[in-house]
Amino acid sequence: MKTKMNRIKQYSLKTSPLYGLSNKRKLENIIGLKKYSLNKVSKHITYNTFMIAKKDGEERPVTAPNPYLKRIQRSAYNLMSRIEKPDWLMSGSKGKCYIDNAKYHQKNQSKYALTLDIKKFYPNCTRKYVFAFLSDTLKMSNDVAGVLADILTYNLEIPVGSPTSQLLAFFAYEKMFNELNSLAFKHECIFTVYVDDLAFSSQKPFDNKTLINDIAFILGKYGHSMKWQKMKIYSKNEDKLFTGVILDTNNQIKVPNNLHLKITNDRKQLDSLVEMSKVEKEKFKKSFHGRIVSARAIETDMYPELIKAVKAIGA
């Protein structure tokens, strides 16, 4: 898993090919469509909705575009991904992953932290804000902004399974995230965003109660709210969890206990492989391998003895 910053050239908003678009033919050209195809694009806006498991055992719906629409959205993402973004944005940015979120706070040598999730983030990211980003920030004409907003949203919200979802959600609500970053600065904290995960940390104690109330107020201004039950306040004597990565009290990045436990349980199942069908073995191998890769992305020297064992499954 890559954690290094991508070297692709970033440009300012005003030098983006998307900036100031007022002609649908130009939009078709830069996102790789045939001439006048935007007139019929509404026929291609179809999605497949299915459920996937979350880390907490619950399920969440994913709304994925059809292949044709996905290709258009991918072109739009490639253009938006080159627009300059703040260093505290960890999601939707090429060359960054969830591990960089913890490393950002590690670099600050933070001892105190507050982490929280935004409740039902994507369903509350509305077409209204997407259109405002395209028309007010990117200065597109209303007709161009309207058709692109239709391509990038579904049922008047940002779909979970679109290539543009993470980055578009940030740009559409950039004012909100900038206000949260300014709030962090006011409380002498650093701030990071990973999709709907917000993290504030500092080398010294800060006023958690006031900060939390201020966060709730800012989120509410933009139609969002926090998951109060998932909010965590960490003292200097506690290991801190940032998007699936532990930052321990010695300021070291570590694999979380729940991932260790899953790998330990997988290891125990190696003795019962003979009872599995070929399909079951392949499914188990893929899952086991993925967990080991995730662990080794956080701590590179973890589980060296299991790499060979996983590769030998089904051989």
Side-chain angles (χ1 to χ4, degrees):
M1 186 176 294
K2 295 180 180 179
T3 58
K4 293 181 178 180
M5 288 297 296
N6 194 286
R7 300 302 180 185
I8 293 177
K9 183 179 179 181
Q10 303 285 298
Y11 41 55
S12 66
L13 188 79
K14 291 185 178 181
T15 56
S16 168
L18 294 170
Y19 189 83
L21 273 179
S22 59
N23 187 299
K24 289 183 181 180
R25 304 291 83 82
K26 288 185 178 179
L27 176 61
E28 288 170 342
N29 183 55
I30 66 173
I31 61 176
L33 292 177
K34 293 181 180 179
K35 196 172 183 180
Y36 299 114
S37 58
L38 281 178
N39 296 335
K40 302 176 182 178
V41 76
S42 60
K43 297 180 180 179
H44 299 284
I45 300 178
T46 60
Y47 288 79
N48 175 36
T49 301
F50 53 93
M51 304 297 290
I52 63 169
K54 295 169 62 178
K55 290 181 180 180
D56 58 9
E58 297 180 2
E59 290 189 329
R60 66 180 175 91
V62 171
T63 308
N66 67 71
Y68 178 83
L69 182 59
K70 185 175 183 179
R71 181 175 66 82
I72 300 173
Q73 293 174 346
R74 175 63 64 182
S75 295
Y77 167 77
N78 288 335
L79 292 168
M80 288 192 295
S81 68
R82 292 178 177 270
I83 298 173
E84 291 176 340
K85 296 169 286 295
D87 61 355
W88 42 261
L89 176 65
M90 300 296 157
S91 54
S93 297
K94 291 183 177 180
K96 287 185 179 180
C97 74
Y98 68 98
I99 300 173
D100 293 292
N101 193 26
K103 288 184 175 180
Y104 194 88
H105 295 272
Q106 179 191 36
K107 186 177 180 181
N108 188 57
Q109 298 185 358
S110 295
K111 297 184 180 300
Y112 302 85
L114 168 69
T115 63
L116 58 103
D117 292 357
I118 301 176
K119 186 177 181 180
K120 296 182 179 179
F121 182 53
Y122 283 128
N124 289 317
C125 288
T126 66
R127 183 187 182 280
K128 172 185 174 182
Y129 279 86
V130 172
F131 179 83
F133 161 63
L134 299 174
S135 62
D136 299 343
T137 305
L138 282 176
K139 305 299 181 183
M140 293 181 179
S141 62
N142 285 344
D143 60 334
V144 174
V147 71
L148 188 54
D150 289 339
I151 289 172
L152 301 180
T153 62
Y154 181 61
N155 287 340
L156 302 180
E157 63 189 47
I158 294 179
V160 175
S162 166
T164 57
S165 295
Q166 290 187 2
L167 193 53
L168 183 62
F170 169 74
F171 280 131
Y173 289 84
E174 187 172 8
K175 290 181 180 178
M176 179 184 78
F177 290 118
N178 282 335
E179 285 188 37
L180 291 170
N181 184 57
S182 296
L183 178 64
F185 183 79
K186 176 183 175 182
H187 285 264
E188 298 184 29
C189 296
I190 63 167
F191 169 66
T192 57
V193 178
Y194 189 86
V195 190
D196 57 353
D197 291 343
L198 310 179
F200 300 77
S201 74
S202 178
Q203 296 177 4
K204 57 184 181 181
F206 51 87
D207 186 347
N208 288 305
K209 185 176 180 180
T210 301
L211 176 58
I212 291 167
N213 288 337
D214 289 345
I215 293 169
F217 176 76
I218 292 172
L219 292 177
K221 282 171 55 179
Y222 294 89
H224 289 286
S225 60
M226 66 174 71
K227 292 182 183 177
W228 290 94
Q229 70 275 19
K230 293 195 72 175
M231 183 179 63
K232 299 287 185 181
I233 300 171
Y234 298 99
S235 71
K236 65 178 181 179
N237 299 318
E238 294 178 288
D239 292 344
K240 299 150 188 68
L241 181 65
F242 295 103
T243 56
V245 180
I246 291 292
L247 179 62
D248 70 13
T249 54
N250 295 317
N251 201 43
Q252 297 298 308
I253 297 293
K254 298 292 182 181
V255 176
N257 288 335
N258 64 342
L259 182 53
H260 278 303
L261 180 60
K262 289 176 181 178
I263 292 174
T264 298
N265 291 335
D266 283 345
R267 190 195 322 233
K268 293 177 181 178
Q269 289 192 57
L270 288 174
D271 296 330
S272 58
L273 287 177
V274 291
E275 302 172 9
M276 295 183 186
S277 67
K278 184 177 180 180
V279 173
E280 289 173 332
K281 283 182 182 178
E282 284 302 313
K283 184 178 180 180
F284 171 73
K285 180 178 181 178
K286 182 178 180 180
S287 175
F288 193 9
H289 181 262
R291 286 168 180 158
I292 294 173
V293 169
S294 295
R296 288 172 64 85
I298 299 170
E299 295 183 64
T300 57
D301 59 347
M302 293 296 295
Y303 302 112
E305 78 285 358
L306 291 181
I307 298 298
K308 290 183 179 179
V310 172
K311 289 183 178 178
I313 297 175

